[in-house]
Amino acid sequence: MRVPVLSFFLAVFLASAALASPEFWRNEWPETDFEKTTVPNWVEIISGGPPKDGIPAISDPSFVRASGKTGIDPAEPVITLEMGGQARAYPIRYLTWHEIVNDVVGGVPVAVTFCPLCNSALSFDRRVNGRVLSFGVSGKLRNSDMIMYDRETQSWWQQAIGEAIVGDLTGVELKTLPSWMESWAEFTARHPDGLVMAEPDFNRDYGRNPYRGYDSSTRPFLYSGEMPPHGIDALERVVRVGDRAWPMARLARENEVREAGVVISWRAGQASALDTGRIGDGRDVGSIRVRDAQGRDVPHDVLFAFAYHAFWPDGEWMLGN
């Protein structure tokens, strides 16, 4: 990312830190109940720059057959969701610009999410207390991670943990679904008749990475918390299952790890979405799958080490020998 953009983010961070308080945010969010919250310090919540819905979430996306889709490079990452006998791919080239897709897969209302600043890609069941929620992008960040909001109660949700942190639904946790990031080539090889999200009808340069060079930076953007322990780089990818994290570098060396009741496999072929100017040209960071002893896919995340440490400060680092 170029220096002027970094300067902009720094200016936003300093201004937001100076103004952070429930009263300040209440002016922008009059329908949100700020008396209900699990946020210990409001300085943690800052503006990421765009306003509410300035990054437009997608609802009811269109799909096309994977075998007929063109324009996606083979190594480009997609989020794969397999449910109810359906296989769907959500290209990161779209989620980079929209961050949330509200969809229904196999009769289940889902939210497929991607936070570029944390590399966090998680899918959630949108049903809460007998109601289906629809999620948007608040424009706020906490520990550099996207804060989502639901349009029904205007509650704020932390994407990395899938939990409401401000508003009527504070403390409610979304069910995390077993989805994963893999290359477009991997998805099409396995599911040539699967569905892939069609290009949204927005004026965006899909396929371009607006965070060029981010995952080779020494420090994350808009983050002032502790750095990871054990000498792990802040922007190293780690695979999180529950409150445990496996460094991607270890998985790339060993190819497969069987620990703590899960089997994590790694294979080359997926481009980083946060490296070069075009996503498809990004360096190979590999793909992983996480399964249990019966071979069933397990909910997990592949996020940057600083974000894991921020939200799971007492988590267990699975470093191996």
Side-chain angles (χ1 to χ4, degrees):
M1 186 168 286
R2 293 188 281 271
V3 172
V5 180
L6 285 171
S7 298
F8 166 77
F9 276 117
L10 179 59
V12 169
F13 175 78
L14 294 174
S16 298
L19 295 171
S21 74
E23 291 305 317
F24 175 72
W25 299 124
R26 190 175 283 117
N27 292 331
E28 185 183 0
W29 295 76
E31 300 176 57
T32 300
D33 185 353
F34 286 89
E35 301 304 316
K36 298 178 180 178
T37 182
T38 55
V39 177
N41 187 344
W42 285 92
V43 174
E44 294 181 2
I45 295 180
I46 64 173
S47 172
K52 178 183 181 182
D53 295 323
I55 297 174
I58 300 294
S59 293
D60 301 319
S62 298
F63 289 85
V64 297
R65 290 290 174 190
S67 57
K69 178 68 172 175
T70 60
I72 302 178
D73 290 332
E76 279 192 42
V78 301
I79 298 175
T80 296
L81 189 58
E82 298 178 358
M83 295 179 59
Q86 299 184 29
R88 295 193 181 187
Y90 302 81
I92 294 298
R93 60 166 39 222
Y94 306 144
L95 278 155
T96 293
W97 299 94
H98 297 284
E99 300 191 357
I100 300 173
V101 177
N102 295 289
D103 196 9
V104 178
V105 183
V108 178
V110 303
V112 181
T113 72
F114 176 62
C115 176
L117 294 182
C118 292
N119 194 68
S120 177
L122 291 166
S123 300
F124 303 106
D125 188 326
R126 293 191 282 123
R127 295 173 295 188
V128 171
N129 299 331
R131 172 165 38 177
V132 176
L133 302 181
S134 177
F135 290 95
V137 182
S138 73
K140 308 296 178 285
L141 300 171
R142 181 173 173 230
N143 293 325
S144 201
D145 180 61
M146 167 177 54
I147 295 177
M148 312 185 298
Y149 79 95
D150 71 79
R151 298 187 174 99
E152 289 67 30
T153 74
Q154 299 291 305
S155 297
W156 292 8
W157 299 76
Q158 192 73 62
Q159 183 257 3
I161 60 176
E163 181 178 327
I165 59 171
V166 177
D168 290 341
L169 297 178
T170 294
V172 174
E173 295 183 21
L174 298 171
K175 179 184 178 181
T176 305
L177 302 171
S179 62
W180 58 92
M181 286 179 66
E182 63 182 342
S183 71
W184 173 235
E186 288 176 285
F187 179 84
T188 54
R190 199 171 60 257
H191 297 294
D193 294 325
L195 297 177
V196 57
M197 181 178 163
E199 183 169 306
D201 189 19
F202 283 81
N203 184 21
R204 300 290 189 275
D205 188 4
Y206 295 118
R208 182 174 70 85
N209 165 29
Y211 306 93
R212 187 175 64 197
Y214 177 44
D215 63 359
S216 58
S217 302
T218 56
R219 292 189 63 87
F221 298 148
L222 302 179
Y223 178 72
S224 59
E226 291 183 353
M227 293 296 111
H230 310 300
I232 296 174
D233 290 341
L235 288 148
E236 179 176 345
R237 287 168 171 81
V238 300
V239 178
R240 180 191 65 81
V241 183
D243 61 357
R244 295 185 174 96
W246 286 258
M248 186 73 92
R250 177 192 171 191
L251 299 171
R253 289 194 306 269
E254 301 183 22
N255 291 324
E256 183 177 276
V257 170
R258 295 173 177 265
E259 289 177 342
V262 296
V263 180
I264 306 176
S265 56
W266 180 95
R267 62 182 296 179
Q270 181 190 158
S272 165
L274 300 164
D275 182 23
T276 53
R278 302 301 297 180
I279 291 175
D281 296 332
R283 72 183 187 282
D284 191 342
V285 294
S287 302
I288 64 103
R289 290 287 292 272
V290 182
R291 297 181 174 95
D292 62 16
Q294 287 73 47
R296 297 170 298 197
D297 288 299
V298 173
H300 65 277
D301 195 8
V302 180
L303 74 172
F304 290 134
F306 81 86
Y308 168 72
H309 184 57
F311 291 107
W312 289 271
D314 299 320
E316 184 178 0
W317 294 86
M318 309 298 287
L319 304 179
N321 297 326

